[in-house]
Amino acid sequence: MKSRLGIALIGMGRMGLIHLKNCMMSPRTDVKWVIRNNIVEAEKYLMNYNLPIKYTSPDRYTDVLNDPSVDAVIIASSTDTHEDFINRSLQAGKHIFCEKPITSNIDTTKQCYDLAEKFDKHLFCAFHRRFDPSLKILKDKLDRKVLGDPRLVKISSHDVTAPPIDYYRNNKGGILTDSTIHDLDLVRWLINSNPASINISETSFNPEVAKYDSELVLVTIKFKNGAMCVIDNGRQATFGYDQRTEVLCDKGVLKVRNKSANLFTMSTSDKSTVSGIDLCFTQRYAQAYQNELEHFLDVLQGKCRLEVNKEDILEVYKLIEAGRRSIDLKTPVNLNTD
Amino acid sequence: MKSRLGIALIGMGRMGLIHLKNCMMSPRTDVKWVIRNNIVEAEKYLMNYNLPIKYTSPDRYTDVLNDPSVDAVIIASSTDTHEDFINRSLQAGKHIFCEKPITSNIDTTKQCYDLAEKFDKHLFCAFHRRFDPSLKILKDKLDRKVLGDPRLVKISSHDVTAPPIDYYRNNKGGILTDSTIHDLDLVRWLINSNPASINISETSFNPEVAKYDSELVLVTIKFKNGAMCVIDNGRQATFGYDQRTEVLCDKGVLKVRNKSANLFTMSTSDKSTVSGIDLCFTQRYAQAYQNELEHFLDVLQGKCRLEVNKEDILEVYKLIEAGRRSIDLKTPVNLNTD
Amino acid sequence: MKSRLGIALIGMGRMGLIHLKNCMMSPRTDVKWVIRNNIVEAEKYLMNYNLPIKYTSPDRYTDVLNDPSVDAVIIASSTDTHEDFINRSLQAGKHIFCEKPITSNIDTTKQCYDLAEKFDKHLFCAFHRRFDPSLKILKDKLDRKVLGDPRLVKISSHDVTAPPIDYYRNNKGGILTDSTIHDLDLVRWLINSNPASINISETSFNPEVAKYDSELVLVTIKFKNGAMCVIDNGRQATFGYDQRTEVLCDKGVLKVRNKSANLFTMSTSDKSTVSGIDLCFTQRYAQAYQNELEHFLDVLQGKCRLEVNKEDILEVYKLIEAGRRSIDLKTPVNLNTD
Amino acid sequence: MKSRLGIALIGMGRMGLIHLKNCMMSPRTDVKWVIRNNIVEAEKYLMNYNLPIKYTSPDRYTDVLNDPSVDAVIIASSTDTHEDFINRSLQAGKHIFCEKPITSNIDTTKQCYDLAEKFDKHLFCAFHRRFDPSLKILKDKLDRKVLGDPRLVKISSHDVTAPPIDYYRNNKGGILTDSTIHDLDLVRWLINSNPASINISETSFNPEVAKYDSELVLVTIKFKNGAMCVIDNGRQATFGYDQRTEVLCDKGVLKVRNKSANLFTMSTSDKSTVSGIDLCFTQRYAQAYQNELEHFLDVLQGKCRLEVNKEDILEVYKLIEAGRRSIDLKTPVNLNTD
C-alpha cells in the first residue's frame, strides 16, 4: 500500500472536522475530497484554511468513487446515510472508516460487513475509546493479568448537555445505540469474554423525554468468565463529560479517571476550588481520535490487524437488543452466545 | 438527665474497644462496667490502662442491671446475643446503644423497638456512616438542594479481607445483613424517599463461599421520588477499605472519596506512587464512632432527637427481605411501602 | 525498666492535654501527677474525665520530685520555665520529655544536656515531625537511596492564624525559635549532613509586627554534601496549616503533601470544590504526637536509642544563630561545622 | 490589516514545527515561506504534509523579505541569528514573532526594540507561559484581588533531561537566560511590581557542568510592593517537566499544578500508582503555543495591545544581570528600578 493514502471525507460536522484536522496533521494521508450537503460552507472552510482539497455534495458522490486517487473513505455523516455510502464505497473498492453505529440495526450492519469481506476491503467502526492512551494502559494491565483476574468492571459515562426534545422524537436507536454502545464495546474489549446476561433499569427525569427514550440507564452484566459489570450511562451530567472506568481485580483496582479542564486551584480556609472536568468529548478524546486514524492507516498499510472487527460489532448489537428486551420486560435477559 | 452518664459496655471485641476508648475520652460518660465472656482478659485490659471500671461475665449481667448508676448500655457483643440483652436492659430501665443489626430478623427487631417505646427508653442502632463528617456534609448539601434534586446515588463499599470459610457457614444473614445493610440505610437517609423496587445480582468467585453466601452484590434501586441508586458491595477489595459515595444531581455531583493511609508520594519519570487507602474501618470511620457516641449522649440529655429511628430500621429490613427475594427469583422486586 | 512508667505532666495547655490523652491511651504509662498554675481548672479537668491522678501547682513541684513512683516528666509549660524544671527533675533522677525549645538559648540548652549526661538520664526534645508516619516513610526512602542522592529539599511550613501583637512584643526567640526550628531540624534529619551556609530573607506585612519579628522567612541552605534546601516559613497561611516537604533526588522526587480536612467534594460544570486542608497542628500531627510518646517510652525501656540527641539540638541552635546574623547582615553566613 | 496574514517561518526545529502546525490550524494565517539551513529536509517535510509553502535557506532570506505577501516573520532559529533576522525584517516592514531571548544581551535587545518603534512594527517576545490557560486564570484572580494581595510567589521550574556537556561549553547565557528568564518574566507579570532586590544561590551536581554553568538555582526576590518570591529552577528533574506556580495571598492560595501524562491509576493494598507528569514542554504548553500565536494575530489585526512589551523585556534583562552579580558576589543585589 502507498505511503500516503488518498482520503475522501463525508460530513463536516463536529466529528468530520476532527477527522479532517487529524488528516492534515498526518503525513500518511492526503485528503482529496470533502463531501458536504452545504457546499458553500465546505468551500468557505477549505479557503479559510488554504486547503488544496476538492469538495462536492452527496448527490455527486459518484465523482469521488470514480477518483482512483481515493483509497479510503471516512464516513462522519448522519447514521441514516451510512448504509448507502458504505455499500457504494465498498463496491468502488474503497476502504472505510465509519463513525459508530455502522447502521441502525444488526441485519444491515451484518450485510455491510459481509460486503466488505466479499470485496476484501476494511470496514472500521471507529470505537474511539479503544484508542484512548489511558484506557489502552488499563487494557494492557488486564491482558497481562498484572492484578490477577477482573471481578467487577464499573463504567460511568455521562454526556453534559441533554439534546433538545426534537432529537429524541426522531432518534430511532435511543440512548442504547447513541451512547451505551460505547460502554458495551468497552467492557467486552476489556474483559475478553462474552456476556451471559444483561439487566437494564432506566428512567427519564423529563416526562417529555420519557415518551421516546431514557435519560439514564443502569446496566448490570454477568460475563461467562464470572466477572460482573455495572454501567451508569446518562444524557446529562451537568458537571462535565463524565468518563470513568474502573476494574476491580483479584489483587487491586485499575482506573481511568476524568480529565481536568485545567490545572488551576484556589484554596481558602474552608475549601479548595479546582477546575471542573472537561466539558466536551472533543477535548477528552482528542488523542484517541488521532490514534484511531493512525490505527486505520496502519491496517491499510498492512502493519497490523483491524482491532474492531465484525464479530465485535455484531456481539455489541446482540447485547443492545437483549438490553432493549430487558427494559421492556423489566427483568434480566440471558444471552445465547456460545 | 445527668451531665455524666453511667455506662455498661457489653463486648470487648474491636467495636467494643473503640466504644470504650471513646467513652474514656468523653467527659460526659463514666464507664461503670464491662461485660465480657473472658473475664481474665477483661481484668487484664482494665489494669493495663489503669481504669477504675468493674467487670463481669454475661451470666452475671443482673448485677449490672441492678446497679442504679448505670444509665445506658452499649451492646457490642455478637448479634445472636442482642435480643436478650436488649429486652432485659429495657426492662431494667436502661437506654441502649446497639451495634447493627438490632437482631437478625425483622420481627424480633420490631419487638425490641416496641418494648423500647413501652418503657420509654431510647434504642439506638449505631449506623455510624450517618455520623461521618464527610457524609454529613454531603447530606446537608442534599437537604438544602444546593445542586437541585438527586438523580443517581452510587455507593461503592468493599471490605478488604474476606472472612474465612467457617464464617460463611455459620452466618445467617449473609452479606446483605452484614454489610449491604449499611449502604441501604445510607441511601435511604440521603435520598429521603422510600424505594419502589430493588434488583440484586450477586456472585461469588470462591465456589466454597458460593454454597452459603455472596462475595459481591450489585444492587439497583428505584426510589418513589424518581431517583435511582446503584450499589456495588463486596467482601474483598484487596486495594483497601473502599467506601465511596456519589450523588449525581440536577446541577452537579456530590462525592465522598476514599481516605488515604498517609500523605507520602514518590514520583519518577514513569509514575507517581501514592499511599493506598486506609485498610481498616477503624481508621476510616474513627471520627464517626466518636460522633455517634456523642449523638447518643445528646439524645439522652434531651439535646436532640434520635437520628436513627424505628421506622428507618424496619424499612431497611423490608428492603433486605425484598433484596433476598430478588436474588432468589433473579428479577427486580417491587416494594409495597406507602 | 518497668513495663508501666510513672509520669508527671507539667502544663495543661494545648500540648499538655494532647500528651495527657496519649498517656491515657497508652498501657505503658501511668500518669501520677499533673502540675498546673490554675489548680482549680486542673482538678475540674481530672474530675470531668474521672481520672485517678494527683494535681498540684508548680510551687509545690518538690512533692512530685519526691514521689518515687514518678519515672519521667513531660514538660509542656512555657519556654521560660523549662530550664528550672529540667535541672530539678534531672537532679531528682527523672527522665525528661520536653517540648521544643529546650531553653531559649544555646548555652543553657547545652548545660541541660550536660546535666542529663552527668545524671545518666534521657532528655528528649519532642521534635514531633520526625515521628510523623508520612515523613518517616520519606526519610526511609532517602536513607535507602531509593531515588539516589538528594539534591534539593523544599519545605513549606505556615501557621494558619498569626498571634496577637502582644505575643510578638514579649517573644524573645521570634519566628526562628518558634517555628523555623522545626523546619531546620527536619532538613538536617532528612539530609544527614551539616549545613555549609545559610541565607534568610524576611518580611512582615503588618508594620507593627515588623518592629519585633518576621511574619515570613525564606531560608536558603547549602549543605556540605552538595544538597540545597529552601524553606518558606510563615506565621499565617489563612488557607490552612500548610506543611509540605519535597525532596528532589537524582532519580525522582519524594513528597509529603498536606492533609485534607475531610473527604467531601462538590463539582459543577465550572469547578470542583474539595475540603480545605487541616487548620490545626493537633489534627495534622495527631499520630506524630502519639508516636513520639511511644518512642520516649521505648527509649526508657531500653528498646532503642534516643532519636533526637544533644548534637542535633546544638547544631540546630547554631543554624538559628547563623540565620539571625544572615537576617541582620542581609547576606549569606557560613557555618564552621566540621 | 488583512483577515489572513502572510507568514514566513525561520527555523524548523522543535519550536519551529510547533508554530508551523499552529499556523496550519489557524484560518488567520497563510504560511508563505519556511527558511531552514537544511533545505532538503525542509522540502521533504513540506511534501510529506502536502503543504503549498515555499522554502529557502537563510542566505536567500532577501527573497522572503522582498515578498510583499509576507506580513510577519516567526523567528525560531538559534539565538545568535535573532539580531540579524530582526533588524532586516523590521527594515523590510515585517512584524516579528520571536522566540526568547530576543538577543543574548540587554543592549542589542534594546536596539531591536528601538528599531521596531522607529519602523512602527510589532516585536513580540514569545513568553508562552503568559498564554497558558491555567496561569491566565491565576493572573486574573490576582488582578481582581480575589484573595487580597499577594505575599509570596513560589515557582518550581525544572527541565527533565540535562543537555550534553558540549551544550554548556558553548552556551553564553547559561541557565539564567535559557530557563530562569521564563520564571522571572512570570513573577513580574503576576505581581505587577518591580523587584527591589534579588539573591541567587546556585550549584551543579556534575563537576564538569560546574565549570561553565549552574544546574540548579534558588532565586529569592523582594518586590517593591512588599511581596516576596522564591524560584527553584533546574536543568534536570528526572520525574518530569516540573512547572508549578503558587501564590500565597492575604486570604488564601492560588496554584497551578503539574499536568499528568495520562489518566490511569493502579492501586493495590500498599500503594496507588498514577501516571507521572508530562515529560515534555510541547505537551505541557501546547495550548499556550496556540494562544500566543493567536495573540500575535490579534495584535496585528488591531484587536488588542501587545502583552509582552519592550519594558517587560528590558526589566527582565536587568533582573538577570543583577542575578549574575548576586551569583558572583554571593550576596543579595539591589535593583535601581524606579
Side-chain angles (χ1 to χ4, degrees), chain B residues 73-93:
Chain B
V73 178
I74 296 176
I75 302 176
S77 50
S78 62
T79 302
D80 58 325
T81 68
H82 286 190
E83 187 179 352
D84 184 56
F85 280 125
I86 290 170
N87 288 341
R88 290 169 66 194
S89 305
L90 287 172
Q91 278 156 355

PDB file of all heavy atoms in Angstrom, chain B residues 73-93:
ATOM      1  N   VAL B  73     -26.627   1.206  78.239  1.00  0.00           N
ATOM      2  CA  VAL B  73     -25.836   0.030  77.899  1.00  0.00           C
ATOM      3  C   VAL B  73     -25.375   0.142  76.446  1.00  0.00           C
ATOM      4  O   VAL B  73     -26.172   0.509  75.578  1.00  0.00           O
ATOM      5  CB  VAL B  73     -26.690  -1.247  78.075  1.00  0.00           C
ATOM      6  CG1 VAL B  73     -25.904  -2.474  77.670  1.00  0.00           C
ATOM      7  CG2 VAL B  73     -27.189  -1.355  79.508  1.00  0.00           C
ATOM      8  N   ILE B  74     -24.104  -0.130  76.227  1.00  0.00           N
ATOM      9  CA  ILE B  74     -23.605  -0.209  74.853  1.00  0.00           C
ATOM     10  C   ILE B  74     -23.410  -1.680  74.511  1.00  0.00           C
ATOM     11  O   ILE B  74     -22.616  -2.371  75.163  1.00  0.00           O
ATOM     12  CB  ILE B  74     -22.266   0.549  74.699  1.00  0.00           C
ATOM     13  CG1 ILE B  74     -22.485   2.041  74.955  1.00  0.00           C
ATOM     14  CG2 ILE B  74     -21.664   0.315  73.313  1.00  0.00           C
ATOM     15  CD1 ILE B  74     -21.199   2.874  74.930  1.00  0.00           C
ATOM     16  N   ILE B  75     -24.150  -2.158  73.512  1.00  0.00           N
ATOM     17  CA  ILE B  75     -24.101  -3.581  73.155  1.00  0.00           C
ATOM     18  C   ILE B  75     -23.218  -3.772  71.930  1.00  0.00           C
ATOM     19  O   ILE B  75     -23.543  -3.325  70.825  1.00  0.00           O
ATOM     20  CB  ILE B  75     -25.515  -4.134  72.890  1.00  0.00           C
ATOM     21  CG1 ILE B  75     -26.389  -3.940  74.131  1.00  0.00           C
ATOM     22  CG2 ILE B  75     -25.455  -5.605  72.485  1.00  0.00           C
ATOM     23  CD1 ILE B  75     -27.841  -4.370  73.960  1.00  0.00           C
ATOM     24  N   ALA B  76     -22.082  -4.420  72.137  1.00  0.00           N
ATOM     25  CA  ALA B  76     -21.140  -4.672  71.043  1.00  0.00           C
ATOM     26  C   ALA B  76     -20.729  -6.140  71.044  1.00  0.00           C
ATOM     27  O   ALA B  76     -19.627  -6.498  70.646  1.00  0.00           O
ATOM     28  CB  ALA B  76     -19.924  -3.774  71.178  1.00  0.00           C
ATOM     29  N   SER B  77     -21.651  -6.970  71.498  1.00  0.00           N
ATOM     30  CA  SER B  77     -21.403  -8.423  71.511  1.00  0.00           C
ATOM     31  C   SER B  77     -21.937  -9.019  70.209  1.00  0.00           C
ATOM     32  O   SER B  77     -22.453  -8.302  69.347  1.00  0.00           O
ATOM     33  CB  SER B  77     -22.101  -9.028  72.726  1.00  0.00           C
ATOM     34  OG  SER B  77     -23.446  -8.589  72.781  1.00  0.00           O
ATOM     35  N   SER B  78     -21.859 -10.332  70.073  1.00  0.00           N
ATOM     36  CA  SER B  78     -22.284 -10.958  68.815  1.00  0.00           C
ATOM     37  C   SER B  78     -23.797 -10.814  68.633  1.00  0.00           C
ATOM     38  O   SER B  78     -24.562 -10.731  69.598  1.00  0.00           O
ATOM     39  CB  SER B  78     -21.871 -12.431  68.800  1.00  0.00           C
ATOM     40  OG  SER B  78     -22.520 -13.109  69.853  1.00  0.00           O
ATOM     41  N   THR B  79     -24.225 -10.791  67.360  1.00  0.00           N
ATOM     42  CA  THR B  79     -25.620 -10.479  67.024  1.00  0.00           C
ATOM     43  C   THR B  79     -26.619 -11.379  67.739  1.00  0.00           C
ATOM     44  O   THR B  79     -27.671 -10.917  68.193  1.00  0.00           O
ATOM     45  CB  THR B  79     -25.828 -10.588  65.495  1.00  0.00           C
ATOM     46  OG1 THR B  79     -24.916  -9.698  64.854  1.00  0.00           O
ATOM     47  CG2 THR B  79     -27.231 -10.233  65.100  1.00  0.00           C
ATOM     48  N   ASP B  80     -26.300 -12.659  67.876  1.00  0.00           N
ATOM     49  CA  ASP B  80     -27.260 -13.586  68.467  1.00  0.00           C
ATOM     50  C   ASP B  80     -27.543 -13.293  69.945  1.00  0.00           C
ATOM     51  O   ASP B  80     -28.525 -13.774  70.498  1.00  0.00           O
ATOM     52  CB  ASP B  80     -26.778 -15.032  68.288  1.00  0.00           C
ATOM     53  CG  ASP B  80     -25.412 -15.241  68.910  1.00  0.00           C
ATOM     54  OD1 ASP B  80     -24.593 -14.289  68.861  1.00  0.00           O
ATOM     55  OD2 ASP B  80     -25.137 -16.325  69.457  1.00  0.00           O
ATOM     56  N   THR B  81     -26.710 -12.470  70.578  1.00  0.00           N
ATOM     57  CA  THR B  81     -26.953 -12.131  71.991  1.00  0.00           C
ATOM     58  C   THR B  81     -27.753 -10.842  72.152  1.00  0.00           C
ATOM     59  O   THR B  81     -28.183 -10.521  73.259  1.00  0.00           O
ATOM     60  CB  THR B  81     -25.614 -11.933  72.737  1.00  0.00           C
ATOM     61  OG1 THR B  81     -24.972 -10.739  72.228  1.00  0.00           O
ATOM     62  CG2 THR B  81     -24.675 -13.113  72.538  1.00  0.00           C
ATOM     63  N   HIS B  82     -27.913 -10.101  71.047  1.00  0.00           N
ATOM     64  CA  HIS B  82     -28.527  -8.766  71.160  1.00  0.00           C
ATOM     65  C   HIS B  82     -29.917  -8.793  71.781  1.00  0.00           C
ATOM     66  O   HIS B  82     -30.222  -8.020  72.694  1.00  0.00           O
ATOM     67  CB  HIS B  82     -28.627  -8.109  69.783  1.00  0.00           C
ATOM     68  CG  HIS B  82     -27.309  -7.621  69.239  1.00  0.00           C
ATOM     69  ND1 HIS B  82     -27.218  -6.830  68.127  1.00  0.00           N
ATOM     70  CD2 HIS B  82     -26.035  -7.824  69.653  1.00  0.00           C
ATOM     71  CE1 HIS B  82     -25.934  -6.557  67.863  1.00  0.00           C
ATOM     72  NE2 HIS B  82     -25.211  -7.168  68.784  1.00  0.00           N
ATOM     73  N   GLU B  83     -30.775  -9.673  71.258  1.00  0.00           N
ATOM     74  CA  GLU B  83     -32.183  -9.619  71.642  1.00  0.00           C
ATOM     75  C   GLU B  83     -32.340  -9.747  73.160  1.00  0.00           C
ATOM     76  O   GLU B  83     -33.054  -8.967  73.787  1.00  0.00           O
ATOM     77  CB  GLU B  83     -32.951 -10.740  70.922  1.00  0.00           C
ATOM     78  CG  GLU B  83     -34.452 -10.635  71.135  1.00  0.00           C
ATOM     79  CD  GLU B  83     -35.215 -11.739  70.409  1.00  0.00           C
ATOM     80  OE1 GLU B  83     -34.571 -12.480  69.617  1.00  0.00           O
ATOM     81  OE2 GLU B  83     -36.425 -11.856  70.630  1.00  0.00           O
ATOM     82  N   ASP B  84     -31.657 -10.706  73.734  1.00  0.00           N
ATOM     83  CA  ASP B  84     -31.778 -10.924  75.176  1.00  0.00           C
ATOM     84  C   ASP B  84     -31.251  -9.730  75.976  1.00  0.00           C
ATOM     85  O   ASP B  84     -31.914  -9.253  76.900  1.00  0.00           O
ATOM     86  CB  ASP B  84     -31.004 -12.197  75.559  1.00  0.00           C
ATOM     87  CG  ASP B  84     -31.170 -12.525  77.038  1.00  0.00           C
ATOM     88  OD1 ASP B  84     -32.322 -12.666  77.490  1.00  0.00           O
ATOM     89  OD2 ASP B  84     -30.123 -12.600  77.737  1.00  0.00           O
ATOM     90  N   PHE B  85     -30.082  -9.231  75.594  1.00  0.00           N
ATOM     91  CA  PHE B  85     -29.534  -8.067  76.305  1.00  0.00           C
ATOM     92  C   PHE B  85     -30.462  -6.853  76.184  1.00  0.00           C
ATOM     93  O   PHE B  85     -30.656  -6.097  77.129  1.00  0.00           O
ATOM     94  CB  PHE B  85     -28.140  -7.697  75.757  1.00  0.00           C
ATOM     95  CG  PHE B  85     -27.027  -8.565  76.285  1.00  0.00           C
ATOM     96  CD1 PHE B  85     -26.167  -9.241  75.427  1.00  0.00           C
ATOM     97  CD2 PHE B  85     -26.816  -8.695  77.666  1.00  0.00           C
ATOM     98  CE1 PHE B  85     -25.129 -10.035  75.907  1.00  0.00           C
ATOM     99  CE2 PHE B  85     -25.765  -9.487  78.155  1.00  0.00           C
ATOM    100  CZ  PHE B  85     -24.931 -10.164  77.275  1.00  0.00           C
ATOM    101  N   ILE B  86     -31.006  -6.669  74.992  1.00  0.00           N
ATOM    102  CA  ILE B  86     -31.897  -5.511  74.789  1.00  0.00           C
ATOM    103  C   ILE B  86     -33.123  -5.621  75.676  1.00  0.00           C
ATOM    104  O   ILE B  86     -33.472  -4.677  76.402  1.00  0.00           O
ATOM    105  CB  ILE B  86     -32.308  -5.408  73.295  1.00  0.00           C
ATOM    106  CG1 ILE B  86     -31.106  -4.993  72.443  1.00  0.00           C
ATOM    107  CG2 ILE B  86     -33.446  -4.413  73.113  1.00  0.00           C
ATOM    108  CD1 ILE B  86     -31.337  -5.103  70.942  1.00  0.00           C
ATOM    109  N   ASN B  87     -33.759  -6.781  75.637  1.00  0.00           N
ATOM    110  CA  ASN B  87     -35.001  -6.927  76.399  1.00  0.00           C
ATOM    111  C   ASN B  87     -34.781  -6.740  77.898  1.00  0.00           C
ATOM    112  O   ASN B  87     -35.516  -6.007  78.559  1.00  0.00           O
ATOM    113  CB  ASN B  87     -35.616  -8.317  76.125  1.00  0.00           C
ATOM    114  CG  ASN B  87     -36.200  -8.387  74.723  1.00  0.00           C
ATOM    115  OD1 ASN B  87     -36.472  -7.347  74.102  1.00  0.00           O
ATOM    116  ND2 ASN B  87     -36.367  -9.601  74.206  1.00  0.00           N
ATOM    117  N   ARG B  88     -33.752  -7.380  78.404  1.00  0.00           N
ATOM    118  CA  ARG B  88     -33.521  -7.282  79.855  1.00  0.00           C
ATOM    119  C   ARG B  88     -33.107  -5.869  80.251  1.00  0.00           C
ATOM    120  O   ARG B  88     -33.516  -5.372  81.298  1.00  0.00           O
ATOM    121  CB  ARG B  88     -32.431  -8.279  80.268  1.00  0.00           C
ATOM    122  CG  ARG B  88     -32.919  -9.732  80.174  1.00  0.00           C
ATOM    123  CD  ARG B  88     -31.790 -10.717  80.314  1.00  0.00           C
ATOM    124  NE  ARG B  88     -31.187 -10.673  81.648  1.00  0.00           N
ATOM    125  CZ  ARG B  88     -30.015 -11.225  81.971  1.00  0.00           C
ATOM    126  NH1 ARG B  88     -29.323 -11.861  81.026  1.00  0.00           N
ATOM    127  NH2 ARG B  88     -29.549 -11.151  83.192  1.00  0.00           N
ATOM    128  N   SER B  89     -32.313  -5.219  79.401  1.00  0.00           N
ATOM    129  CA  SER B  89     -31.844  -3.868  79.739  1.00  0.00           C
ATOM    130  C   SER B  89     -32.993  -2.878  79.727  1.00  0.00           C
ATOM    131  O   SER B  89     -33.100  -2.009  80.604  1.00  0.00           O
ATOM    132  CB  SER B  89     -30.757  -3.421  78.748  1.00  0.00           C
ATOM    133  OG  SER B  89     -29.703  -4.364  78.696  1.00  0.00           O
ATOM    134  N   LEU B  90     -33.863  -3.007  78.722  1.00  0.00           N
ATOM    135  CA  LEU B  90     -35.009  -2.104  78.656  1.00  0.00           C
ATOM    136  C   LEU B  90     -35.900  -2.291  79.878  1.00  0.00           C
ATOM    137  O   LEU B  90     -36.351  -1.313  80.486  1.00  0.00           O
ATOM    138  CB  LEU B  90     -35.813  -2.381  77.377  1.00  0.00           C
ATOM    139  CG  LEU B  90     -35.173  -1.905  76.065  1.00  0.00           C
ATOM    140  CD1 LEU B  90     -35.974  -2.425  74.874  1.00  0.00           C
ATOM    141  CD2 LEU B  90     -35.095  -0.374  76.010  1.00  0.00           C
ATOM    142  N   GLN B  91     -36.122  -3.570  80.233  1.00  0.00           N
ATOM    143  CA  GLN B  91     -36.976  -3.829  81.387  1.00  0.00           C
ATOM    144  C   GLN B  91     -36.369  -3.279  82.681  1.00  0.00           C
ATOM    145  O   GLN B  91     -37.085  -2.902  83.603  1.00  0.00           O
ATOM    146  CB  GLN B  91     -37.237  -5.335  81.514  1.00  0.00           C
ATOM    147  CG  GLN B  91     -38.368  -5.783  80.585  1.00  0.00           C
ATOM    148  CD  GLN B  91     -38.297  -7.255  80.219  1.00  0.00           C
ATOM    149  OE1 GLN B  91     -37.355  -7.955  80.584  1.00  0.00           O
ATOM    150  NE2 GLN B  91     -39.299  -7.714  79.495  1.00  0.00           N
ATOM    151  N   ALA B  92     -35.030  -3.193  82.711  1.00  0.00           N
ATOM    152  CA  ALA B  92     -34.361  -2.638  83.889  1.00  0.00           C
ATOM    153  C   ALA B  92     -34.241  -1.112  83.793  1.00  0.00           C
ATOM    154  O   ALA B  92     -33.606  -0.485  84.658  1.00  0.00           O
ATOM    155  CB  ALA B  92     -32.975  -3.263  84.038  1.00  0.00           C
ATOM    156  N   GLY B  93     -34.822  -0.526  82.725  1.00  0.00           N
ATOM    157  CA  GLY B  93     -34.841   0.945  82.647  1.00  0.00           C
ATOM    158  C   GLY B  93     -33.580   1.572  82.087  1.00  0.00           C
ATOM    159  O   GLY B  93     -33.304   2.747  82.326  1.00  0.00           O
TER     160      GLY B  93
END
